[in-house]
Each structure stands twice: as C-alpha cells, then as structure tokens.
Amino acid sequence: MITVNTVSALRAAVASARQQGLKVGFVPTMGNLHSGHAELVSKAAERTDFVVASIFVNPLQFGPSEDLDKYPRTLAADQHKLEAAGCDLLFAPTVAQMYPDGMAGQTRVSVPQLSEGLCGASRPGHFEGVATVVSKLFNMVQPDLAIFGQKDYQQLAVIRAMARDLNMPIQIDGEPTVRAEDGLALSSRNGYLSEPERALAPQLYACLQSLAEAMHAGRRDYPRLLADAQQGLQEQGFRPDYLEVREARHLRPATPEDRDLVILVAAYLGNTRLIDNLQVKLSSGG
Ligand code: PAF
C-alpha cells in the first residue's frame, strides 16, 4: 500500500490503475480505524481491483463545540490495518490540501429534507460538511464503487441521495454495522467511554432489539412505545438525544402502515454521543 498526501499524487496513482483497466473502489474514513472500517475495505477489495481509502478528519462536519481537536489521529496504526484489509492506496491529505482557499468560501453541497431531523437536528451543518467533503473526495478519486457503514444510517441516506441527485456515476454500497460481542456498535468514539460507561453502552442496542421485537409482535403505537423506551434509557443512565422510528428509505416519520422501517437512536453517556440503528422489515400482514 502506498500513502499519498496530495491530490496530484492521488490522481496519478488512480490514473495508472485505470490505465491497467482496474475497477476502482473507495472507502472514505476519518481514521482511528476499527474492524468495522477493515470490513468495508475487505468488501471493497472483493468487489473491485484497486482499493483507495482516505483518512481525513474533516473540520467542515464538526460543530464549534464538538470533538474536532480531540478526535484521535492514529495514522501509523491505521496504515497497518488498511494494508492488512487489502487497501492499495491511502489518501491522507492535510486540511490545506483539501481546502486550499479556506473553508468560509468553500462551495457547499447540501441535501435538504434527509439532512434535517435526527442527527441533523442536534448537529446543524454536519451533513452539509459530510456531503461537501464526500463529493470533493469522489471528484478526486473518481471511483466506480464507494462503500459506507450502515451504522451512520442517515449519513448513508444523504450520500446516496447526493450521488443520485447530482448524477454521480458511482455505485454506493452500505455494509451492516460491525458489533462487539456484547452488541455495542463499533465506533471510533467508543474509546472515549469510561469503564462503567462502556459496560452500560450495549444497552443502547438492547433497547433497539426490544423495540423491534415489540413491533414484530404487532405494536404500532410508535409514539407511546418510543416514549417508554426513551424513559428506560434515561433510567439506565443515558441522556437520549433522539429515539425514532422512520420509514427506511426516505427517513419519513413512520406510519402504522409502513413495513420497511428503521429505528434510530442517539444518546449521550457522559460526554460521549453514541448512535445506533436497527432495520425492521415487518411482514405485510402483521
Ligand atoms: O463516516 C465518516 O467517517 C465521515 O463522515 C466521512 C464519510 C469519511 C466523511 O468525512
């Protein structure tokens, strides 16, 4: 695996792969990689011939009071993990390389509706920052296929919509969330949890599972069901940000008639904000 830091070196390496007729896969990341990211890279290696990953902690998607400065930078360890998972080329640009004219006047990409509500409500501007950097990275790499984790469910929906709406000739694949044995979704932010918080954290997924069970058993009074579950989380020591059932594709608020659903949650443990989700496909009769 080679690592490049400039757009021109990235373009040259991708052009040479293209000249050899190779299909290009891409996995954008912010580094501090865990086995969920490694899984995305291995999938890209299965589906394409030349895998590019990027590591860039994108300031444009962090709010003023968020963890941009303390976001872990672990380049050497990340390089090993990427190489082991089958990555051919790592693009690790500086902020100046990505935003040479600064960020204030940077052209933005925004995906209305899908970016509103859920994480968009408590992180204003976040999805505009994500859509902007991902479209820049797409234009730099020009991959055939890009792979994202389903753990960031709203992000994946925003990126799919952006690629569709702007006619980007890129296949977008979403991969299932990788979980620790106790059910906690792997996340770079899990490292912020204290020992007691880490012990409590799997209850977030347990909450989603028991909601899914209730829905499969026929509960359709979502506001009531969710209010009770949210109270349960609070009693356990979480500070819930949201807990919602949405229609799975467009993330519209769910109606009792919808069958293809997703339950999404964000909750704080101490200062750490955890998110998770669980898709629920109800049988058409039930
Ligand atoms: O999911 C992430 O790590 C980031 O939001 C992404 C997609 C790499 C854009 O910065």
Side-chain angles (χ1 to χ4, degrees), residues 9-284:
L10 167 74
R11 284 198 197 283
V14 176
S16 126
R18 285 250 176 248
Q19 261 159 16
Q20 297 165 51
L22 303 182
K23 186 173 173 183
V24 178
F26 179 42
V27 181
T29 81
M30 298 204 301
N32 192 24
L33 305 179
H34 49 67
S35 27
H37 296 107
E39 183 66 18
L40 302 181
V41 173
S42 343
K43 289 288 182 237
E46 276 169 27
R47 293 170 200 167
T48 63
D49 314 303
F50 186 77
V51 179
V52 182
S54 63
I55 295 181
F56 179 61
V57 183
N58 173 35
L60 211 58
Q61 69 187 73
F62 286 77
S65 60
E66 292 184 357
D67 55 349
L68 174 64
D69 293 333
K70 79 166 188 176
Y71 203 85
R73 271 80 166 172
T74 52
L75 184 64
D78 291 346
Q79 283 170 314
H80 284 114
K81 289 178 193 165
L82 288 171
E83 183 149 31
C87 179
D88 298 293
L89 176 68
L90 168 63
F91 177 49
T94 58
V95 174
Q97 187 63 211
M98 288 299 286
Y99 300 112
D101 299 318
M103 286 177 287
Q106 165 69 47
T107 301
R108 309 288 174 116
V109 177
S110 68
V111 181
Q113 295 177 346
L114 272 175
S115 298
E116 291 148 23
L118 304 169
C119 285
S122 48
R123 304 187 69 188
H126 171 67
F127 288 115
E128 189 179 82
V130 169
T132 301
V133 81
V134 171
S135 64
K136 282 169 74 75
L137 289 165
F138 279 0
N139 284 328
M140 292 168 182
V141 178
Q142 301 191 313
D144 299 288
L145 167 75
I147 307 195
F148 296 84
Q150 286 172 358
K151 171 168 172 279
D152 297 299
Y153 194 95
Q154 189 177 14
Q155 168 173 282
L156 177 60
V158 165
I159 289 167
R160 281 192 201 285
M162 173 188 84
R164 202 170 50 238
D165 292 351
L166 297 181
N167 304 87
M168 295 175 169
I170 301 170
Q171 181 185 327
I172 309 290
D173 285 0
E175 292 304 311
T177 303
V178 177
R179 296 181 181 281
E181 258 173 40
D182 58 12
L184 177 65
L186 296 193
S187 161
S188 302
R189 293 195 167 94
N190 293 350
Y192 299 153
L193 298 170
S194 68
E195 218 174 284
E197 287 166 354
R198 175 61 189 82
L200 187 58
Q203 292 308 316
L204 204 58
Y205 184 52
C207 166
L208 296 179
Q209 284 177 307
S210 65
L211 281 168
E213 238 169 73
M215 289 160 67
H216 282 298
R219 291 280 301 264
R220 299 287 179 270
D221 53 339
Y222 300 138
R224 179 65 199 269
L225 191 62
L226 293 166
D228 290 347
Q230 190 148 332
Q231 194 182 333
L233 283 175
Q234 233 152 5
E235 283 163 7
Q236 283 175 308
F238 289 89
R239 202 155 37 85
D241 179 2
Y242 62 77
L243 175 60
E244 294 196 32
V245 180
R246 296 281 183 110
E247 169 279 321
R249 201 167 128 75
H250 304 286
L251 293 180
R252 278 186 288 93
T255 68
E257 288 69 43
D258 286 320
R259 291 292 168 265
D260 195 2
L261 299 161
V262 57
I263 318 169
L264 303 112
V265 67
Y268 286 88
L269 268 182
N271 292 325
T272 309
R273 187 171 180 277
L274 300 175
I275 61 170
D276 203 350
N277 67 81
L278 183 61
Q279 275 178 270
V280 183
K281 284 187 201 301
L282 299 173
S283 58
S284 39

